[in-house]
Amino acid sequence: MKLRFHNSLTRRVEDFTPLDPGHVRLYVCGPTVYDLAHLGNARPVVVFDVLARLLRRIYPRITYVRNITDVDDKINARARETGEPIAAITSRTTADFHRDMAALGCLPPDVEPTATGHIREMIALIERLIARGHAYAAEGHVLFRVASFPDYGKLSGRSPDELLAGARVEVAAYKESPGDFVLWKPSDADTPGWDSPWGRGRPGWHIECSAMSWRHLGESFDIHGGGHDLLFPHHENEVAQSRAAFGTPFMAHTWLHNGMLLVDGEKMSKSLGNFLTVRDILARGPWAGEAFRLLLLRTHYRAALDFSFDALEECKAELDGHYAMLKRAPEPPDRDSPVIRQLVDWVLAPLADDLNTPLALARLRDLRTLENALTVGGSAAVVLSRIGLGAEPPPGAAATAFRKAAEVLGIGQGDAKGWLQGAGRMHEASGHATGTGRATAAVAATNTSIEAAIAARLAARAAKNWAEADRIRDDLKAQGVILEDGPSGTSWRRA
RNA sequence: GGUCCGGUGGCCGAGUGGUCAGGCAAGGGUCUGCAAAACCCUCUACGGCGGUUCAAUUCCGCCCCGGACCUCCA
C-alpha cells in the first residue's frame, strides 16, 4: 500500500517514502494542559490516531510522539485566577485529556513527553543556537535571530518582509528585529522557572517541540502534524530552531495540517469563547464518543468542519445501522479468507490517498449493504460491481471485513448488542441535561422490565390480541425502546 | 491589506476531461396482523463570467462568496 499525503511544505500531494523504511517517526503537537479539551482540540488527535493506526498496519515499526505542554503562560494565568497550584492544574487536565481522548477511541501515542521533563534539552538546543549565531541573549531573554535563517517563512509560504509588515504586536526593545521570537524568558519569583545560563527563566512556546522531537525522534523525522492554525508561527519557528541548530535540510519531511472545526461557521476556539468541550459531547450518552469520532472522520481532515448536534445525531443513527448489521451477521466459514482480505483492502485503499476517510467510510457502508443483502435478503449486484467482486462472498464475510477495516478508523469495534441496547447508558447519562430525551427514556426502562414486556406482548400476539400487543409496543416506544419482530423472534434496541 | 484553503443536489459529503459516488431527509414499493428493521425504486448537482477542448463540474484566467493564518490558538 503506497501512501500519499498533502505536504504543507510543498503544498502538493506527494508519495510518502519513509526516511528509514524500518522505522517511521511521527510527531504531533499535543495540548496545553490548562483546561478541558474542546471539540477543536479533539480533531487532530482523532485524525492522527487514524494515521498512526494506518502506518502501524503498513510499516514494521512506528514511533508516534505527542507532547503535553505543561509550562505555559496560560497555565500560569489560570493558577493566578483560581489559586490552584500549577502542578494540580496540569496533572488533572492531563488526566482529563487522556480520559476524553480514550472516550473518542484514540489509542495513546508511543511517547507522550512533557515540556517540563525536557528543560535540559531545550537549554542545550538554545546554547547550540547561540553558538551558531542563530540566537542571542538580551535582558534575560534569548531570542531566535530570524535574519540568520534564510529559509524562514518557507513552510508557511511567507517572506520575512511580509511577516514584518504584518506584525501587529508591540515590538519589545530587546529584539534586534521585530520578527525574532522568544526561546527563553525570565521568570519572577512567583512564576515557574528553571536555572539556566541566562538566569532563572522558562522556555518560549516553540522550543519545546524542537527539543522533544529531537530527543525522541532525532534531528529529522518523517511526519509532523497539527492544526492548521499552528502552521504559523508555531511550526515555522520549530523548523527554524531545529534546522538552524542541526544544520539539516528539513525538520520533518512531511507536514500535515488538519482544518479547523467550526461552530456556526466560525472557528471554535478558547479565545473566542465559542467552544464546546469533549465532555459536553460525552454527556449526551455512551454512544456520543464514537458518534463524534465518526463525525470528525466523515469530513476530509484538511477541510473545515462545521459542527452541529444534528450531525452528531446523524452519526449516531449511522452507527446504529452498522451495529444492527454486525449483530445479525453470522460467523463466516473462514475469518481470514482471501475475499475478506480483498474487502478490507478495498475499504482502506482511500486512506492511502491523503487519508481520505470519507471515502473509506462510504465503502464501509457498502460492506454493510452487502452483508445485509446476503443475510437478510436483497440484491448485492450493485455493491459487488462497485467493489469489483465477481461472486457473492459467504454470509458473514462482509461483516467480518467491516470489523477489520473499521478498526483502522477506530469505529465499530464495540459489542453490537451492548451498543443497541445501551449498556451503561443510564449511568453515563444521568445528571446531564441532554436535550434529546434519551436519558429520561433510558432511566424509565430497565432491561428486565423490557424483557418482561416483550414476553407479555408475545403472549398477546399469540392470542391475536393485536390491540394489547400494540399497546405494549407503544408503551415501550414512549420509553425509548424500539421493538423489531423478525423470523427468529423479537429483538429490541434503544432509540 | 498580504498569504493560503474552499464553494458539489433539501442537508452532509467523495470524485472525475466524456458511462454510478455514498449517506441523511423526502416520496413510492416489497415484507409484516400492523409496525420496525432490511431490501427495491424515485429525487441527477457541481458559485458566476470568459477561455482551452470534439467534449469542462473537472484544466486556465478573472470575479463573487465563505473560512483560516498574519507572533494566544488544534
Side-chain angles (χ1 to χ4, degrees), chain A residues 125-127 129-130 134-145 174 180-186 196-199 202 204:
Chain A
L125 210 48
I126 294 169
E127 287 182 315
L129 287 167
I130 292 175
H134 290 297
Y136 56 95
E139 296 182 28
H141 293 71
V142 182
L143 293 121
F144 187 90
R145 184 178 282 126
Y174 48 76
D180 293 353
F181 56 90
V182 172
L183 301 173
W184 190 264
K185 53 190 170 188
S196 81
W198 318 285
R202 60 194 193 281

Side-chain angles (χ1 to χ4, degrees), chain A residues 209-295:
Chain A
C209 287
S210 287
M212 290 185 273
S213 62
W214 171 40
R215 163 78 187 279
H216 297 284
L217 297 176
E219 295 178 359
S220 300
F221 49 94
D222 294 291
I223 300 173
H224 190 128
H228 193 257
D229 52 354
L230 295 183
L231 184 60
F232 186 88
H234 185 52
H235 291 161
E236 190 70 58
N237 292 354
E238 280 186 42
V239 170
Q241 292 161 350
S242 293
R243 288 188 51 202
F246 306 124
T248 43
F250 56 86
M251 180 193 190
H253 180 271
T254 304
W255 288 79
L256 265 29
H257 290 98
N258 61 274
M260 296 295 98
L261 190 139
L262 314 177
V263 55
D264 298 328
E266 270 207 315
K267 176 178 155 185
M268 182 177 288
S269 91
K270 286 181 180 169
S271 54
L272 291 175
N274 63 342
F275 66 92
L276 285 161
T277 64
V278 173
R279 280 295 148 84
D280 294 332
I281 298 299
L282 296 178
R284 298 254 160 173
W287 52 270
E290 188 168 339
F292 182 59
R293 184 180 177 100
L294 175 61
L295 183 148

Side-chain angles (χ1 to χ4, degrees), chain A residues 284 287 313 316-317 320 419-422 425 436-439 441-442 476-484 492-495:
Chain A
R284 298 254 160 173
W287 52 270
E313 297 286 339
K316 194 265 183 193
D320 285 346
W419 172 276
L420 294 167
Q421 302 192 345
R425 179 163 295 172
T436 63
R438 281 216 174 82
L476 285 172
K477 192 179 180 187
Q479 298 177 72
V481 175
I482 294 169
L483 298 191
E484 291 167 6
W492 65 274
R493 65 188 169 89
R494 293 187 195 274

Side-chain angles (χ1 to χ4, degrees), chain A residues 19-333:
Chain A
L19 302 170
D20 171 1
H23 183 196
V24 174
R25 291 160 291 162
L26 167 67
Y27 187 94
V28 175
C29 289
T32 300
V33 283
Y34 70 103
D35 203 354
L36 289 172
H38 65 61
L39 268 34
N41 298 124
R43 167 116 98 146
V45 179
V46 169
V47 164
F48 294 113
D49 179 59
V50 172
L51 174 65
R53 288 168 186 249
L54 180 67
L55 291 170
R56 281 198 194 99
R57 220 184 120 76
I58 296 171
Y59 296 104
R61 182 185 170 204
I62 86 154
T63 300
Y64 173 22
V65 178
R66 189 184 62 215
N67 67 290
I68 296 282
T69 297
D70 58 351
V71 50
D72 182 276
D73 286 350
K74 286 192 293 292
I75 300 172
N76 300 338
R78 180 59 56 95
R80 269 195 298 276
E81 284 164 25
T82 63
E84 188 178 7
I86 284 172
I89 294 175
T90 57
S91 65
R92 175 172 47 80
T93 309
T94 300
D96 287 341
F97 177 76
H98 286 157
R99 266 197 303 180
D100 288 352
M101 295 310 122
L104 299 184
C106 296
L107 303 171
D110 298 294
V111 186
E112 192 172 51
T114 59
T116 54
H118 293 72
I119 300 291
R120 200 187 344 224
E121 284 83 354
M122 295 186 216
I123 290 173
L125 210 48
I126 294 169
E127 287 182 315
R128 202 163 172 148
L129 287 167
I130 292 175
R132 287 174 156 247
H134 290 297
Y136 56 95
E139 296 182 28
H141 293 71
V142 182
L143 293 121
F144 187 90
R145 184 178 282 126
V146 168
S148 74
F149 188 70
D151 278 353
Y152 192 81
K154 202 176 155 201
L155 174 64
S156 56
R158 291 150 214 265
S159 74
D161 294 345
E162 284 168 16
L163 293 172
L164 295 191
R168 61 180 182 187
V169 289
E170 252 182 81
V171 179
Y174 48 76
K175 286 191 181 184
E176 283 180 9
S177 172
D180 293 353
F181 56 90
V182 172
L183 301 173
W184 190 264
K185 53 190 170 188
S187 292
D188 60 30
D190 300 329
T191 312
W194 290 261
D195 290 330
S196 81
W198 318 285
R200 184 172 175 280
R202 60 194 193 281
W205 173 33
H206 317 295
I207 194 68
E208 59 171 280
C209 287
S210 287
M212 290 185 273
S213 62
W214 171 40
R215 163 78 187 279
H216 297 284
L217 297 176
E219 295 178 359
S220 300
F221 49 94
D222 294 291
I223 300 173
H224 190 128
H228 193 257
D229 52 354
L230 295 183
L231 184 60
F232 186 88
H234 185 52
H235 291 161
E236 190 70 58
N237 292 354
E238 280 186 42
V239 170
Q241 292 161 350
S242 293
R243 288 188 51 202
F246 306 124
T248 43
F250 56 86
M251 180 193 190
H253 180 271
T254 304
W255 288 79
L256 265 29
H257 290 98
N258 61 274
M260 296 295 98
L261 190 139
L262 314 177
V263 55
D264 298 328
E266 270 207 315
K267 176 178 155 185
M268 182 177 288
S269 91
K270 286 181 180 169
S271 54
L272 291 175
N274 63 342
F275 66 92
L276 285 161
T277 64
V278 173
R279 280 295 148 84
D280 294 332
I281 298 299
L282 296 178
R284 298 254 160 173
W287 52 270
E290 188 168 339
F292 182 59
R293 184 180 177 100
L294 175 61
L295 183 148
L296 290 175
L297 261 20
R298 67 181 199 155
T299 297
H300 184 83
Y301 77 94
R302 279 193 290 118
L305 190 168
D306 207 350
F307 174 82
S308 73
F309 280 105
D310 284 349
L312 186 70
E313 297 286 339
E314 198 179 297
C315 289
K316 194 265 183 193
E318 179 170 346
L319 289 168
D320 285 346
H322 288 160
Y323 279 114
M325 176 276 290
L326 291 170
K327 180 163 166 274
R328 67 181 154 245
E331 270 296 305

